[in-house]
């Protein structure tokens, strides 16, 4: 299981393209990548999860921690490219009501959560 995290800055927005599976094995790499920008004042961050086929509660914990760090520094975090399964995971946990999440209807109902 691999996870790729790529950071690109566009128009003062830090865009993370995340590809692979997010679980207990790969989460430290994601956490380390996000930590590099989480404490920047007024940061604007976009997390693209369109390449994520699987995420467990470890991944949710990483995103919650990062969200709190960004909000504490008066920044904004947006999650984009969420497939149907990940969308459901964010909804079940109530995070969809707190976080700015843009879903993607891709017909990937068989993706594992």
């Amino acid at each position: 299981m691999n996870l790729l995290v790529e950071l690109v800055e566009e128009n003062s927005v830090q865009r993370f393209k995340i590809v692979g599976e997010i679980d207990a094995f790969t989460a430290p790499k994601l956490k380390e990548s996000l930590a590099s920008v989480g404490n920047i004042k007024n940061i604007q961050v976009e997390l693209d999860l369109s390449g994520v086929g699987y995420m467990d509660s470890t991944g949710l914990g990483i995103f919650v921690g990062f969200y709190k760090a960004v909000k504490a520094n008066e920044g904004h975090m947006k999650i984009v490219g969420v497939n149907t399964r990940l969308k459901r995971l964010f909804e079940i946990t109530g995070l969809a009501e707190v976080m700015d999440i843009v879903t993607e209807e891709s017909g990937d109902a068989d993706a594992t959560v």
Side-chain angles (χ1 to χ4, degrees), residues 12-56:
S12 300
V13 177
Q14 307 291 316
R15 296 182 197 281
F16 284 90
K17 173 75 175 170
I18 302 165
V19 178
E21 297 181 357
I22 304 172
D23 57 18
F25 181 73
T26 60
K29 181 177 184 177
L30 175 61
K31 184 176 183 178
E32 181 181 322
S33 298
L34 296 178
S36 67
V37 300
N39 293 321
I40 298 174
K41 195 81 172 165
N42 298 317
I43 190 167
Q44 302 297 308
V45 180
E46 183 176 290
L47 306 175
D48 182 354
L49 303 185
S50 62
V52 175
Y54 172 86
M55 180 171 69
D56 66 11

Side-chain angles (χ1 to χ4, degrees), residues 70-86:
V70 169
K71 292 300 280 184
N73 287 290
E74 301 174 19
H76 180 78
M77 181 184 95
K78 180 178 184 180
I79 297 176
V80 301
V82 176
N83 64 35
T84 305
R85 294 294 221 158
L86 293 181

